[in-house]
């Protein structure tokens, strides 16, 4: 999903969640770190009892077991070696990554099927599918895979397809994709639905058409009314959008308590609905409301879905401000975030500045894509403005510099969790849900799997890496108050109890079952 390019009508911007990995900012592997929620009668460390770890849990029904300082939800593991991980029974969306290089357990099971119980190959020392299935030639190996293809489940088939494409063994990839095609369904179980979209990504990569397909999908957007309808569907069944705007609003409101002139720069304003709630909150301030000026950064994709330019956002917010008697001004910056320069931000002396980055920075190309490195350039630009507060909300994922196979596994793990969470909100055969997934998720899956270089715009990083970038730009973390967690907890009452929140090292994590999906943090 493209958070920076898809708005919401009447509600918040469009976001997508990701799961937590080893929160080591220097790690570029896709070694997954998991939530480890356990039942209350088991013996474990809770976030409340873990000594001097600085973790906080907010009224989550099950407690969280933590044995690593890298993530609030992770079992114990090494930075260089991922230990075998055991998950709670509610982790129904796939096998954990394990082994010396994060090889999925499914591939080991495939090796057993291929080689049989009497094989003298030592699986425990293998670090890749090619090593596990060690045969005299690739032809022999893939012939064996094809022999059992019809008996593999969709996850095994997806992983085998990815390996075949990575090996450039296209005949095997074609056969496996044909088998997989018979087992996927956009109206089936979460794994079947996700597999349908991942299959398209594999096929696009195989035929080197990822960029072409991605660009065609961008050109063939649904009409604005249709797109907004899809956004509404996802908004009502998932809390990811509310997580972003609720946390940012509380942080900004608290930071601006004593300010009479406030300037907010939103780097993905979309419909601007987030600020309606903040304006209403500021209107209730004792002694009268402050004057508020909002600069909205936008792009053509949001304008398409909105059905018009940024003036529509300004007019809507102006009406809300007028009804609340809040002095208000709106500035339009109709430009992609990566192209923003100082002159686009309308800075004025004497205003307290707040900057909001809602699931947008991961779309900025960094040093791995361009020597310009807009990701860090933009952070340095914002720091030079001396903002009073900066809010950052991002997916907790590692798809930026990861190679194809680790990135593929990570995408599979994350999206399975996300599709499960979507599944909990609507019936399996709901046509609106199907359309929303197709139009708001499929394009991102294709982009992550099939595209490389500048064409791959879905480049997420872990909170640890974002933290490092912000600190290098001169920012310092701003601890989140208890009010932020309470506001998110209150919001989550309208959703499945499988959504959890926890705090670690100043960031608030939103998770589904035992997997973190997104983080929110504040900086100054």
């Amino acid at each position: 999903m493209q958070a920076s390019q898809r708005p919401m009508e009447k509600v918040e911007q469009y976001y997508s969640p990701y799961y937590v990995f080893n929160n080591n900012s220097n790690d570029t592997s896709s070694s997954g770190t998991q939530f480890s929620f356990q039942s209350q009668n088991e013996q474990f460390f809770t976030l409340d009892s873990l000594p001097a770890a600085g973790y906080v849990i907010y009224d989550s029904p099950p407690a969280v077991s933590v044995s690593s300082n890298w993530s609030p939800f992770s079992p114990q593991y090494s930075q260089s070696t991922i230990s075998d991980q055991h998950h709670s029974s509610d982790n129904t969306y796939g096998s954990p990554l394990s082994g010396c290089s994060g090889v999925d357990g499914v591939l080991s099971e495939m090796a057993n099927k291929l080689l049989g119980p009497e094989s003298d190959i030592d699986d425990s020392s293998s670090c890749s599918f090619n090593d596990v299935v060690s045969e005299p030639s690739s032809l022999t190996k893939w012939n064996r895979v094809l022999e059992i293809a019809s008996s593999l489940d969709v996850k095994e088939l997806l992983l085998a397809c990815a390996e075949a494409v990575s090996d450039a063994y296209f005949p095997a990839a074609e056969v496996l994709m044909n088998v997989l095609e018979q087992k996927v369904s956009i109206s089936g179980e979460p794994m079947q639905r996700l597999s349908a979209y991942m299959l398209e990504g594999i096929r696009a990569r195989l035929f080197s058409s990822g960029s072409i397909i991605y660009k065609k999908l961008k050109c063939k957007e649904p009409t604005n009314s249709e797109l907004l309808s899809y956004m509404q569907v996802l908004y009502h069944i998932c809390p990811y959008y509310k997580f972003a705007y609720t946390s940012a609003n509380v942080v900004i409101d608290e930071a601006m308590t004593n300010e009479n002139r406030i300037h907010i720069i939103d780097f993905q304003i979309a419909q601007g609905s987030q600020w309606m709630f903040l304006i209403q909150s500021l209107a209730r301030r004792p002694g009268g409301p402050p004057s508020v000026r909002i600069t909205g950064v936008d792009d053509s994709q949001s304008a398409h879905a909105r059905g018009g330019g940024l003036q529509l956002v300004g007019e809507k917010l102006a009406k809300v401000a007028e009804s609340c008697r809040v002095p208000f001004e709106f500035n339009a910056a109709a430009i992609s975030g990566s192209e923003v320069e100082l002159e686009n931000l309308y800075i004025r002396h004497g205003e307290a500045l707040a900057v909001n980055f809602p699931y947008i920075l991961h779309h900025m190309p960094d040093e791995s894509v361009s020597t310009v490195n807009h990701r860090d350039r933009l952070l340095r630009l914002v720091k030079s403005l001396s903002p009073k507060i900066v809010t950052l909300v991002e997916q907790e994922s590692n798809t930026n510099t990861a190679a194809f196979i680790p990135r593929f596994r990570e995408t599979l793990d994350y999206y399975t969790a996300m599709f499960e969470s979507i599944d909990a909100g609507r019936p399996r055969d709901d046509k609106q849900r199907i359309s929303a997934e197709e139009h708001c998720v499929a394009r991102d899956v294709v982009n992550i799997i099939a595209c490389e270089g500048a064409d791959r715009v879905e480049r997420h990083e872990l909170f640890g890496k974002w933290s490092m970038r912000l600190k290098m730009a001169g920012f310092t973390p701003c601890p989140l108050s208890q009010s932020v967690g309470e506001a998110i907890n209150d919001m989550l009452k309208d959703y499945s109890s499988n959504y959890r929140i926890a705090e670690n090292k100043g960031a608030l994590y939103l998770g589904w079952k035992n997997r973190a999906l997104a983080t929110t943090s504040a900086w100054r």
Side-chain angles (χ1 to χ4, degrees):
M1 287 187 284
Q2 297 254 39
S4 70
Q5 298 177 351
R6 299 182 184 278
M8 302 291 300
E9 182 183 35
K10 298 181 182 178
V11 292
E12 297 63 42
Q13 291 94 318
Y14 183 62
Y15 306 119
S16 70
Y18 284 76
Y19 78 92
V20 73
F21 284 85
N22 180 352
N23 210 1
N24 179 354
S25 59
N26 297 319
D27 181 24
T28 57
S29 70
S30 64
S31 305
T33 301
Q34 306 279 337
F35 280 104
S36 183
F37 291 100
Q38 305 179 28
S39 61
Q40 294 287 356
N41 57 2
E42 293 183 64
Q43 296 297 317
F44 53 85
F45 282 110
T46 68
L47 293 188
D48 294 327
S49 63
L50 190 63
Y55 293 42
V56 180
I57 191 71
Y58 296 97
D59 299 326
S60 179
V64 183
S65 173
V66 180
S67 54
S68 168
N69 288 331
W70 290 107
S71 164
F73 316 114
S74 60
Q76 193 169 20
Y77 63 92
S78 164
Q79 297 178 41
S80 58
T81 303
I82 305 165
S83 63
D84 187 26
Q85 301 181 11
H86 302 279
H87 305 285
S88 57
S89 59
D90 66 354
N91 179 17
T92 60
Y93 48 80
S95 303
L97 299 178
S98 61
C100 56
S101 64
V103 176
D104 196 287
V106 172
L107 293 184
S108 297
E109 295 173 10
M110 290 175 62
N112 291 333
K113 292 181 181 180
L114 292 171
L115 300 172
E118 298 180 358
S119 169
D120 57 358
I121 295 180
D122 182 9
D123 287 353
S124 64
S125 63
S126 301
C127 295
S128 73
F129 186 45
N130 291 335
D131 294 334
V132 172
V133 192
S134 180
E135 292 295 324
S137 69
S138 292
L139 179 62
T140 303
K141 178 186 74 173
W142 287 111
N143 279 343
R144 290 202 174 192
V145 172
L146 297 180
E147 286 175 4
I148 65 166
S150 61
S151 66
L152 300 178
D153 62 30
V154 289
K155 182 174 181 178
E156 292 170 329
L157 283 168
L158 280 172
L159 292 166
C161 283
E163 291 279 357
V165 172
S166 180
D167 283 356
Y169 198 77
F170 303 139
E174 272 292 341
V175 173
L176 290 168
M177 286 191 294
N178 289 336
V179 175
L180 184 58
E181 213 164 44
Q182 307 305 312
K183 298 190 176 188
V184 301
S185 169
I186 61 173
S187 60
E189 298 178 353
M191 180 58 71
Q192 289 179 304
R193 306 200 309 269
L194 170 59
S195 298
Y197 300 128
M198 294 196 74
L199 174 59
E200 291 305 309
I202 294 173
R203 196 180 299 279
R205 187 179 184 92
L206 178 63
F207 294 109
S208 301
S209 59
S211 178
I212 296 173
I213 291 177
Y214 182 68
K215 290 175 180 177
K216 284 184 176 179
L217 284 168
K218 288 178 70 175
C219 294
K220 295 183 178 180
E221 292 282 0
T223 64
N224 50 26
S225 60
E226 290 174 336
L227 181 55
L228 290 170
S229 175
Y230 302 146
M231 298 303 101
Q232 289 279 14
V233 170
L234 290 180
Y235 167 77
H236 286 298
I237 62 180
C238 304
Y240 312 126
Y241 325 122
K242 284 188 176 181
F243 174 73
Y245 90 74
T246 300
S247 59
N249 278 3
V250 173
V251 168
I252 293 173
D253 196 359
E254 291 180 341
M256 298 298 178
T257 298
N258 299 315
E259 300 295 341
N260 295 320
R261 297 174 60 198
I262 300 172
H263 181 196
I264 299 170
I265 299 175
D266 188 348
F267 271 87
Q268 182 54 48
I269 197 162
Q271 293 296 306
S273 302
Q274 169 178 351
W275 308 117
M276 296 169 57
F277 301 97
L278 182 60
I279 290 171
Q280 292 166 351
S281 176
L282 292 173
R284 297 188 292 269
R285 178 185 289 185
S291 65
V292 178
R293 190 162 63 91
I294 295 179
T295 295
V297 180
D298 199 25
D299 56 34
S300 59
Q301 295 280 331
S302 292
H304 167 82
R306 190 169 50 238
L310 277 169
Q311 74 277 3
L312 297 178
V313 177
E315 291 169 1
K316 179 175 67 174
L317 293 177
K319 290 180 180 178
V320 173
E322 182 179 9
S323 68
C324 297
R325 297 183 179 181
V326 174
F328 180 79
E329 183 180 344
F330 183 81
N331 299 313
I335 186 173
S336 171
S338 62
E339 299 173 356
V340 167
E341 300 288 350
L342 177 60
E343 56 267 26
N344 304 122
L345 300 178
Y346 308 98
I347 301 301
R348 293 177 187 168
H349 179 71
E351 293 179 328
L353 178 63
V355 178
N356 186 42
F357 288 116
Y359 295 111
I360 179 64
L361 277 180
H362 73 270
H363 284 119
M364 310 297 174
D366 72 344
E367 68 278 3
S368 67
V369 181
S370 168
T371 56
V372 179
N373 188 0
H374 290 292
R375 192 169 296 198
D376 291 340
R377 178 192 70 82
L378 194 58
L379 288 175
R380 291 193 298 269
L381 171 61
V382 169
K383 179 57 181 175
S384 72
L385 305 178
S386 300
K388 185 157 189 180
I389 197 71
V390 173
T391 52
L392 173 70
V393 184
E394 278 293 343
Q395 296 91 329
E396 182 68 0
S397 179
N398 187 10
T399 63
N400 185 19
T401 58
F404 171 61
I405 289 297
R407 189 168 77 239
F408 184 91
R409 293 191 184 110
E410 182 164 351
T411 303
L412 176 60
D413 286 340
Y414 153 64
Y415 275 103
T416 308
M418 190 192 74
F419 271 62
E420 272 202 2
S421 70
I422 295 175
D423 200 59
R426 280 291 177 96
R428 189 69 49 87
D429 59 351
D430 186 278
K431 292 183 178 180
Q432 286 185 320
R433 179 198 53 74
I434 294 172
S435 294
E437 288 177 345
E438 179 182 1
H439 291 289
C440 303
V441 181
R443 187 174 71 180
D444 287 7
V445 171
V446 170
N447 186 255
I448 294 171
I449 295 174
C451 297
E452 298 293 348
D455 288 327
R456 182 158 60 85
V457 297
E458 297 299 321
R459 293 179 169 273
H460 309 94
E461 293 184 318
L462 308 177
F463 175 72
K465 185 61 181 289
W466 288 119
S467 179
M468 184 175 68
R469 288 189 186 277
L470 283 153
K471 290 176 181 177
M472 289 179 64
F475 289 97
T476 56
C478 181
L480 299 177
S481 72
Q482 185 177 351
S483 299
V484 179
E486 291 173 349
I488 297 300
N489 243 337
D490 188 60
M491 176 269 292
L492 288 178
K493 291 178 181 177
D494 295 330
Y495 296 91
S496 168
S497 60
N498 285 318
Y499 289 104
R500 320 282 168 76
I501 62 171
E503 185 177 353
N504 177 32
K505 299 182 187 292
L508 188 67
Y509 288 72
L510 171 66
W512 168 259
K513 292 185 178 179
N514 67 334
R515 192 176 298 277
L517 306 174
T519 64
T520 184
S521 58
W523 303 81
R524 61 163 58 98

